[in-house]
Amino acid sequence: MQATIDNSVSIATPQYMNLYQKWMVPRLVDVVMRNRAATRYRSLIVPKACGTVFEIGIGSGLNLPFYGTGVERIYGLDPSEELLAMARKKARAIAIPVDFIARACEEIPLDDSSVDTVVMTWTLCSIADPAKALKELRRVIKSGGTLLFVEHGLAPEIRVQTWQQRLNPLWCKLTGGSNLNRKIDQLIRTAGFDPAELKTEYAEGPRPFSYTYSGQARPDACITRAPQ
């Protein structure tokens, strides 16, 4: 299995936001995502990974310390070179080999049916085309593989949803593209995954920002891959 490492990727953003998104957002993400609630979710989800792992949106590598001895190799993809630089430093502290891929999350340079586990934590919110990214995950995961996920998204209560919709445009600009209003379980199912375990709850923090979907899903055997 070959991964094409592309170090020249850039994400197009409005000119006035380039500096903020390139230098400030990665550092803010690294600090904010170290919070107690996120750490608890990582400790529950990430250790379930095994075999060859593909982590989409690996970010600054905050999941890396939670991988167990059952993991043979990790492929970590992220479009931000600044976040990947932080992740490379963290990877030096673990024994598992990690290959980093600088690429948009909708373009996964791995072979079909090549990974045992996909790990996705707080990633779908910021992918420009989440349906396309999930379709790519469905392509690279083995038929008996597992998608492990923790994501924030659309809350069930209308009142909270109303605030999510109001806040979403500004929130996207401040966070480099994070959306508050995506229905995570629906996206996962539509892409051809069957959520074998799904837990939904409010994590710590204001409700418009904290409704969380976590669990694991498997490729739906009733949905075949489209011909390449």
Side-chain angles (χ1 to χ4, degrees):
M1 174 172 56
Q2 296 295 323
T4 302
I5 311 302
D6 184 351
N7 292 321
S8 62
V9 172
S10 62
I11 302 300
T13 57
Q15 186 62 37
Y16 71 92
M17 291 292 285
N18 279 346
L19 187 62
Y20 173 75
Q21 292 193 3
K22 182 176 178 63
W23 298 109
M24 292 300 296
V25 170
R27 286 156 180 79
L28 289 172
V29 167
D30 181 58
V31 171
V32 171
M33 294 311 297
R34 295 171 183 265
N35 68 77
R36 181 175 61 182
T39 300
R40 180 177 68 85
Y41 281 113
R42 295 182 205 279
S43 70
L44 294 173
I45 295 295
V46 179
K48 296 178 181 179
C50 63
T52 299
V53 175
F54 175 68
E55 183 172 342
I56 183 169
I58 194 170
S60 64
L62 293 175
N63 286 335
L64 291 174
F66 295 93
Y67 285 107
T69 56
V71 173
E72 299 168 3
R73 177 173 290 274
I74 300 168
Y75 291 92
L77 179 147
D78 203 279
S80 170
E81 277 288 4
E82 289 68 36
L83 284 170
L84 288 178
M86 300 179 201
R88 288 186 181 99
K89 293 180 181 178
K90 295 182 179 71
R92 296 171 191 158
I94 67 172
I96 305 166
V98 185
D99 294 318
F100 293 101
I101 308 168
R103 185 73 67 92
C105 293
E106 298 90 339
E107 303 172 5
I108 302 175
L110 298 179
D111 296 336
D112 295 359
S113 303
S114 58
V115 300
D116 301 290
T117 309
V118 170
V119 173
M120 180 175 69
T121 59
W122 299 282
T123 298
L124 276 186
C125 63
S126 58
I127 297 176
D129 189 342
K132 184 177 180 180
L134 283 164
K135 183 179 179 181
E136 277 286 271
L137 294 181
R138 180 68 174 80
R139 177 183 66 80
V140 302
I141 197 170
K142 295 178 181 178
S143 59
T146 303
L147 167 65
L148 301 172
F149 61 91
V150 184
E151 298 285 345
H152 73 86
L154 190 68
E157 294 89 357
I158 298 299
R159 184 176 179 181
V160 180
Q161 288 183 10
T162 299
W163 276 106
Q164 288 178 316
Q165 301 294 354
R166 288 174 179 170
L167 294 168
N168 199 62
L170 178 59
W171 185 251
C172 280
K173 290 181 180 179
L174 292 175
T175 59
S178 175
N179 290 269
L180 300 170
N181 57 359
R182 290 181 174 173
K183 198 167 190 317
I184 301 302
D185 58 338
Q186 181 176 311
L187 285 168
I188 290 173
R189 287 190 174 95
T190 301
F193 289 95
D194 178 22
E197 295 179 16
L198 174 63
K199 183 177 182 180
T200 56
E201 62 183 347
Y202 287 101
E204 298 175 12
R207 290 199 161 196
F209 306 96
S210 63
Y211 192 71
T212 302
Y213 301 72
S214 63
Q216 55 184 302
R218 299 187 183 280
D220 192 334
C222 297
I223 300 178
T224 57
R225 292 182 173 85
Q228 300 299 310

